[in-house]
Amino acid sequence: MLRSFQVSNHRSLAGAQELRAGRGNGVVAVPVTAVHGAAAAGKTNLVDALAGMRAAVLESVSGWDPYAGPVRTPHRGFPDRPSEFVADFVAEGAPYTYGFRLAQAEVAAEWLYAHPRARKRIVFERNGDQVRVGPMFEAARYGVAAVAPLVRPNALLLSLAGQLYAEALAPAYRWFESMLEVQYGPVAAEQVAHRLGAHLSKSPENAARLLVLLRASGLGIEDLLLAEPDPRYADHLRELDADIAATGAQLDLCANSPGHAERLLREHGVTEVLLDRELTNLRAARDALYARMVDRRGVGLSLVHAGVDAAFDIAEESTATLSLLRLLPTVLDALDGGKVLVVDDIGTQLPVEETDRLIQLFQNPQTNARGAQLIFTTGDRAVIDRSNGRSPRTATAVWRIRRGDGVSELTRV
């Protein structure tokens, strides 16, 4: 769950801006948060800031040039000011605040706080090359202290500690890695086919559910055809799918039966957190194996339209169809995993009715049983008005972004 996101000096977001994904102060999250604004108001820059924060956590150690400054995009009017990013979120059942400040040549500051029982506890604070571990995390001191001297001035400590699996920092790192997905910018038809094929190949239930939504869209698609897996990968994919299903079933039993969770811990030393981490690892391994198979032989995906005998390649589909095919797998994966999904310009190429149907999936407790969140931007106020005609408990939290004198400002509606 994402409670709030703050950013300053990123593209047109010059001053400090905060997006709260919930009611009041953002502590009680709502399933859907919308950001409305005119063209060039800064909607994409806000999404880009959140995507940039995630990328920094995952890539600053392995992907940033070790001899250059941190990767950042400050406002053109304030290139010398630092850029700051802060996220409040819940990872593995615990609230965290994580943030960092990027100067031109180095990471000027970085911090991670936990909030058990609504009380702030320092996990670590970094100022320049000095790292302080909080007194409540003495058990983690050795792990963090061992990692800290290895981190470059232009890389994040959380990035390095997460990749080296420092236990105290693992929940925060894994949240950015596995529980936050940001979708924006152009994408090639091949990438859409890859994600769609991966989703369809995981289970017949996935394929059936996606096809129901696709048929209801009115785009004329009657069926999806997916080639059988390469025999060199098929057995391993089936084994991973079986392990994913079994681990997911155990997690569901733990959630619905405290006695089952206690028995697992007593008899096998396994907690719900460990099960959840194992499920994430299995899904990542499955995705990696599927990607290797696709690199060798392609996705093998085609679409059947009503009244047309020959199947279509995905590259032949309309812009609206590609937009929906891009959204559907990410939406369904987010609902299945209880993720935070951020989508820029959610309904640009789609009818309002179809966009609203996707939003309803997050607002309906029956289709969103795992507490997934949708955060989206739009220039069409009708998308928001339709989704807010429902119960107050599931109403969309609405924000407006405006741009004046080259600076974007975010306000609650």
Side-chain angles (χ1 to χ4, degrees):
M1 177 176 72
L2 178 66
R3 289 177 166 177
S4 68
F5 171 64
Q6 303 169 57
V7 57
S8 62
N9 200 24
H10 178 82
R11 298 188 183 274
S12 65
L13 303 163
Q17 305 297 319
E18 181 181 18
L19 175 70
R20 296 190 299 276
R23 302 185 188 93
N25 61 6
V27 173
V28 180
V30 294
V32 179
T33 301
V35 179
H36 175 259
K43 301 187 299 295
T44 298
N45 291 341
L46 180 66
V47 173
D48 182 75
L50 189 51
M53 184 179 193
R54 180 180 185 271
V57 171
L58 302 185
E59 301 169 9
S60 67
V61 169
S62 59
W64 289 5
D65 185 344
Y67 302 104
V71 174
R72 69 188 191 109
T73 313
H75 189 283
R76 288 184 177 271
F78 312 104
D80 297 332
R81 292 185 187 176
S83 300
E84 186 169 299
F85 305 81
V86 185
D88 286 309
F89 55 92
V90 177
E92 298 184 355
Y96 288 91
T97 298
Y98 173 68
F100 52 85
R101 189 177 305 118
L102 304 179
Q104 286 184 309
E106 64 182 1
V107 177
E110 183 183 4
W111 56 94
L112 177 63
Y113 304 135
H115 303 275
R117 295 178 294 278
R119 300 183 66 181
K120 175 181 170 181
R121 301 298 188 197
I122 297 171
V123 182
F124 77 85
E125 290 180 327
R126 172 189 180 190
N127 286 288
D129 59 357
Q130 301 298 311
V131 177
R132 173 196 174 202
V133 179
M136 297 297 294
F137 289 85
E138 280 295 323
R141 179 176 293 279
Y142 174 75
V144 176
V147 169
L150 304 177
V151 68
R152 301 191 313 268
N154 75 331
L156 298 176
L157 177 58
L158 182 62
S159 182
L160 181 61
Q163 292 180 26
L164 296 180
Y165 209 82
E167 178 61 28
L169 277 60
Y173 178 86
R174 291 172 67 88
W175 185 85
F176 282 98
E177 178 188 42
S178 306
M179 300 304 292
L180 174 64
E181 180 160 1
V182 184
Q183 186 179 97
Y184 75 119
V187 65
E190 293 80 7
Q191 293 173 285
V192 176
H194 185 147
R195 181 66 180 267
L196 185 58
H199 182 83
L200 294 172
S201 69
K202 290 174 185 176
S203 71
E205 292 78 13
N206 275 7
R209 181 177 53 167
L210 190 143
L211 194 55
V212 166
L213 294 171
L214 199 54
R215 287 172 175 167
S217 69
L219 295 174
I221 297 176
E222 289 295 317
D223 204 357
L224 298 168
L225 305 178
L226 187 65
E228 289 293 324
D230 187 320
R232 286 168 290 188
Y233 296 86
D235 288 343
H236 196 182
L237 284 171
R238 278 193 293 268
E239 290 172 3
L240 284 170
D241 287 336
D243 289 342
I244 289 169
T247 306
Q250 287 294 320
L251 268 174
D252 288 339
L253 285 171
C254 288
N256 297 320
S257 171
H260 183 79
E262 293 172 4
R263 187 164 57 254
L264 271 181
L265 179 59
R266 183 176 63 252
E267 296 178 1
H268 303 287
V270 176
T271 65
E272 289 183 66
V273 168
L274 292 176
L275 275 175
D276 189 56
R277 290 183 181 180
E278 178 63 15
L279 183 59
T280 299
N281 292 338
L282 287 168
R283 285 171 171 164
R286 207 267 184 201
D287 290 342
L289 183 65
Y290 183 83
R292 288 200 296 272
M293 183 184 75
V294 168
D295 286 342
R296 291 179 62 93
R297 48 156 273 180
V299 178
L301 176 71
S302 54
L303 300 91
V304 177
H305 285 254
V308 182
D309 293 334
F312 284 66
D313 183 83
I314 196 168
E316 300 175 280
E317 296 294 340
S318 68
T319 302
T321 301
L322 279 175
S323 180
L324 183 60
L325 292 176
R326 181 189 186 187
L327 269 174
L328 282 178
T330 57
V331 164
L332 295 176
D333 284 341
L335 292 168
D336 290 342
K339 298 181 180 181
V340 179
L341 174 61
V342 184
V343 180
D344 188 34
D345 283 333
I346 190 170
T348 303
Q349 307 293 340
L350 296 174
V352 172
E353 296 79 9
E354 184 56 35
T355 305
D356 185 52
R357 188 177 291 114
L358 296 177
I359 294 171
Q360 286 183 54
L361 294 175
F362 288 84
Q363 293 176 318
N364 187 339
Q366 292 183 332
T367 53
N368 188 10
R370 299 185 185 277
Q373 286 176 273
L374 173 65
I375 300 172
F376 69 86
T377 70
T378 181
D380 186 356
R381 181 65 200 221
V383 172
I384 299 172
D385 292 338
R386 288 178 66 96
S387 67
N388 266 345
R390 305 186 181 101
S391 72
R393 188 171 66 86
T394 61
T396 301
V398 183
W399 293 76
R400 177 183 292 114
I401 192 164
R402 293 175 174 173
R403 189 167 182 170
D405 297 326
V407 173
S408 299
E409 292 189 355
L410 189 65
T411 56
R412 186 73 176 262
V413 176

